């Protein structure tokens, strides 16, 4: 059996922001969401540059990834993105301090290689159950891990957006790297916190479990996040694991969204 991904992507500025600092991209085997940080320090540049580093990685990799160390390849892409951000900050002082979260999946055979930094998230829907595959790199999540506050308290904590880890110009990236086994019928969600700040796990489960195509689910998540106030930029990728007749069906044109679709990332 040859497994492939059928995905859709969407991004929206939300109701309270004047610009979209999120970026995302999909191909037949790559999924990535990056949520730029920095406000006036141009988080949109950070997210768009990071997405470009990963799409260029996808373009360089051979069709058969079986014998490759994908953790190393994805780390190299993160290092590449960090270097791009540093060069840009050196050329343009206004961009100093910019950074971004990253969640990415890369398909190889019956597994997905995952890279994660920050508080954007990846979920998997399997057999009617929803699992969060990433662990937020936030101050509030650390307090939950240490037993100082509950998960319910964390959801409304005033400092819930303070990151402990992000991709930035200040230090080398520190990603979580994993391999995830996949099955036909799995559905994955990659999203920025503009989705999860409004929609809890019950709402995500309800929407992802709907018998609808990925593009319809993406639009529904964006609409619901906006109906809930749209406090931040909203970016989502929904990808279904499907059986392909052969590997040649795995190709899907590059699709980009958010800042990555709007600005130049030349550096």
């Amino acid at each position: 059996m040859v497994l492939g991904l059928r995905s859709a992507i969407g991004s929206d500025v939300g109701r309270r922001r004047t610009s979209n600092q999120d970026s995302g991209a999909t191909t037949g085997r790559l999924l990535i969401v990056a949520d730029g940080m920095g406000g006036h320090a141009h988080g949109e540049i950070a997210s768009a540059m990071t997405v470009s580093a990963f799409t260029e990685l996808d373009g360089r990799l051979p069709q058969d990834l079986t014998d490759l160390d994908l953790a190393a390849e994805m780390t190299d892409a993160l290092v590449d993105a960090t270097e791009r951000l540093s060069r840009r900050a050196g050329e343009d002082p206004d961009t100093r301090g910019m950074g971004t979260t990253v969640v990415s999946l890369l398909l190889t055979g019956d597994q997905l290689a995952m890279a994660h930094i920050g508080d954007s998230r990846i979920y998997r829907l399997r057999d009617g159950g929803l699992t969060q595959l990433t662990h937020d790199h936030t101050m509030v999540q650390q307090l939950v891990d240490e037993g100082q506050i509950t998960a319910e308290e964390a959801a409304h904590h005033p400092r819930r957006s303070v990151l402990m880890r992000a991709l930035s110009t200040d230090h080398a990236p520190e990603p979580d790297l994993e391999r995830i086994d996949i099955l036909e019928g799995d559905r994955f969600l990659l999203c920025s916190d503009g989705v999860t700040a409004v929609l809890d796990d019950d709402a995500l489960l309800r929407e992802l479990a709907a018998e609808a195509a990925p593009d319809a689910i993406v639009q529904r998540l964006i609409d619901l996040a906006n109906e809930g106030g749209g406090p931040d930029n909203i970016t989502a990728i929904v990808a279904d694991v499907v059986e392909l007749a052969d590997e040649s069906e795995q190709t899907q044109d590059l699709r980009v969204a958010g800042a990555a679709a709007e600005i130049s990332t030349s550096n």
Side-chain angles (χ1 to χ4, degrees), residues 50-64:
T50 299
V51 165
S52 290
F54 271 78
T55 57
E56 289 172 23
L57 168 69
D58 181 47
R60 290 194 304 270
L61 292 175
Q63 182 173 346
D64 185 357

Side-chain angles (χ1 to χ4, degrees), residues 29 60-73 106 108 179:
R29 63 182 180 182
R60 290 194 304 270
L61 292 175
Q63 182 173 346
D64 185 357
L65 304 180
T66 305
D67 296 327
L68 291 181
D69 183 346
L70 291 181
E73 296 287 351
L106 185 60
T108 173
R179 285 285 193 120

Side-chain angles (χ1 to χ4, degrees), residues 78-149:
L78 292 168
V79 171
D80 180 19
T82 301
E83 292 173 349
R84 296 182 191 206
L85 267 58
S86 295
R87 287 196 297 270
R88 183 63 172 262
E91 296 165 0
D92 182 359
D94 286 344
T95 65
R96 291 173 185 168
M98 65 179 171
T100 186
T101 70
V102 184
V103 282
S104 183
L105 295 173
L106 185 60
L107 175 68
T108 173
D110 59 358
Q111 290 187 321
L112 289 165
M114 182 183 83
H116 162 57
I117 304 175
D119 64 350
S120 295
R121 293 180 180 176
I122 301 175
Y123 292 85
R124 180 184 62 205
L125 178 73
R126 174 182 287 176
D127 297 331
L130 187 68
T131 303
Q132 182 179 330
L133 300 178
T134 53
H135 195 69
D136 292 349
H137 299 144
T138 60
M139 177 185 296
V140 166
Q141 183 61 56
Q142 183 170 310
L143 293 176
V144 173
D145 295 342
E146 294 171 351
Q148 297 187 43
I149 62 174

Side-chain angles (χ1 to χ4, degrees), residues 32-55:
I32 179 170
V33 168
D35 179 355
M37 309 172 307
H40 67 281
H42 304 296
E44 72 277 4
I45 296 175
S47 69
M49 282 189 159
T50 299
V51 165
S52 290
F54 271 78
T55 57

